[in-house]
Amino acid sequence: MPLHINTPLIESAPLSAIAGCSIWLKMDALQPPGSFKIRGVGHACEEYHRRGARRLVSSSGGNAGLAAAYAGRRLDLAVTVVVPESTTARAIELLRAERAEVVVHGASWQEANALAQSLVGSDDAFIHPFDDPLLWTGHASLVDEVLDAGLTPDAIVLSVGGGGLLSGVVEGLRRRGVPGIPLIAVETSGAASLHRALEAGEPVELNAIDSIATSLGAKRICTQAMECATGHPLHRALVSDLQAVQACERFLDDHRVLVEPACGASLALAYQPSPQLQAYDKVLIVVCGGATATLAQLGEWRAKLFAMSLG
Ligand SMILES: *Cc1c(COP(=O)(O)O)cnc(C)c1O
């Protein structure tokens, strides 16, 4: 039995009115661990469990780690998550609440990841946050649910970090025989790894991530995402951190669900009259969610970013 749930698919009256086309929301913020990640991570963990893994190891202090911790608890597997010192107290608290062993190590994710890799023994499975074919196949279930619910969108808006979600959605569209539905891939300007890769013609490594949308903070997209971005109709959009945070706050008012700026980035496209969206009748936004933000944190970010925008 899959570890993710079939999430609600709703037409958004407030977003449709602003965007100027019919906006549909796939509410993956309502997955038990708070984001779409459980689709892919859950599928991968079940498969590694079948192959005999006894422990899951992750180096994500974000939603991939949370999904692994949730999957481990459900499958009765031990879970170890190595996170860098920069990880928020909130994220560590959520991981521990899922009974994961949390090891705090290193100034950056690179160091935490190196330790995590060194811990992976023969009975363990390493859970990558975006670069694993099992993950993409799991993420593809989102497309199945939308099509099975009777909605064939004219375009799909999604946020891109390392490109696992993008790879999964393209896999689902191809498998279901609708490879022509265009994607609109959204990033924040400070985490634009897909944008830069498409400009360069190959995945390139960003020098640094400069965005509060930490869940989009992969310095380099995976090769599969590059293949999907060039082999599938795709448009891209960049939004500012301030736009992403403001979209989170408006979405909370409009739909009573709190999401991370990583998800707010996609919502921000529809929270403005958008020529990019008005080219279509029915636009699906993947409300990818994210569990690590709080209402207080959104307010702090907005105040700081707003002050910065005034110079
Ligand atoms: C992981 C994540 C993303 C980005 O997904 P990728 O597969 O890395 O592109 C976007 N939003 C949220 C909330 C996430 O957790």
Side-chain angles (χ1 to χ4, degrees):
M1 203 181 94
L3 298 176
H4 65 267
I5 62 167
N6 185 336
T7 52
L9 174 68
I10 57 175
E11 186 174 14
S12 170
L15 277 159
S16 301
I18 299 166
C21 59
S22 169
I23 299 285
W24 287 80
L25 305 172
K26 182 60 174 163
M27 294 291 282
D28 258 35
L30 301 180
Q31 291 292 349
S35 81
F36 77 94
K37 286 268 183 359
I38 188 59
R39 294 182 182 275
V41 169
H43 178 66
C45 292
E46 281 193 297
E47 180 58 29
Y48 292 130
H49 178 51
R50 245 191 309 275
R51 294 180 197 170
R54 309 277 290 278
R55 180 175 71 151
L56 308 169
V57 178
S58 163
S59 57
S60 159
N63 296 305
L66 285 170
Y70 176 82
R73 184 170 60 74
R74 290 280 308 272
L75 297 168
D76 220 359
L77 294 171
V79 180
T80 299
V81 185
V82 186
V83 299
E85 284 145 15
S86 55
T87 308
T88 61
R90 165 80 175 163
I92 292 174
E93 179 194 329
L94 290 170
L95 287 166
R96 294 211 165 115
E98 291 288 7
R99 294 190 225 129
E101 178 196 19
V102 181
V103 179
V104 180
H105 174 82
S108 72
W109 175 80
Q110 271 75 14
E111 289 154 57
N113 186 52
L115 177 63
Q117 300 272 2
S118 77
L119 295 178
V120 180
S122 54
D123 283 346
D124 301 331
F126 183 74
I127 307 300
H128 196 283
F130 55 83
D131 196 3
D132 179 340
L134 289 172
L135 237 63
W136 311 329
T137 298
H139 292 338
S141 61
L142 186 146
V143 172
D144 289 323
E145 288 172 18
V146 171
L147 296 177
D148 291 346
L151 177 71
T152 304
D154 300 312
I156 301 176
V157 177
L158 47 77
S159 299
V160 175
L165 176 61
L166 168 65
S167 302
V169 167
V170 169
E171 178 174 320
L173 293 173
R174 285 177 178 161
R175 177 167 49 69
R176 293 293 296 251
V178 280
I181 299 178
L183 303 182
I184 303 174
V186 190
E187 298 174 290
T188 53
S189 310
S193 49
L194 173 69
H195 212 80
R196 289 284 307 285
L198 288 171
E199 277 170 3
E202 60 181 351
V204 284
E205 178 137 345
L206 302 179
N207 294 328
I209 297 296
D210 179 18
S211 175
I212 55 160
T214 48
S215 294
L216 304 184
K219 285 191 182 170
R220 178 198 292 263
I221 57 161
C222 62
T223 312
Q224 178 69 10
M226 186 70 191
E227 194 278 314
C228 292
T230 50
H232 186 95
L234 178 135
H235 309 277
R236 53 199 147 105
L238 290 179
V239 302
S240 69
D241 276 7
L242 181 57
Q243 286 175 307
V245 171
Q246 284 174 329
C248 293
E249 292 188 319
R250 295 179 74 175
F251 190 69
L252 181 59
D253 283 343
D254 287 339
H255 285 284
R256 306 156 306 276
V257 171
L258 192 138
V259 298
E260 287 181 17
C263 176
S266 279
L267 296 168
L269 266 206
Y271 272 121
Q272 57 193 14
S274 168
Q276 220 171 357
L277 301 188
Q278 281 161 5
Y280 307 103
D281 286 337
K282 281 174 290 176
V283 174
L284 176 74
I285 300 181
V286 177
V287 183
C288 49
T292 70
T294 61
L295 180 57
Q297 169 112 72
L298 287 180
E300 278 167 38
W301 276 327
R302 195 230 315 115
K304 190 165 150 249
L305 292 163
F306 185 67
M308 281 166 61
S309 75
L310 298 176

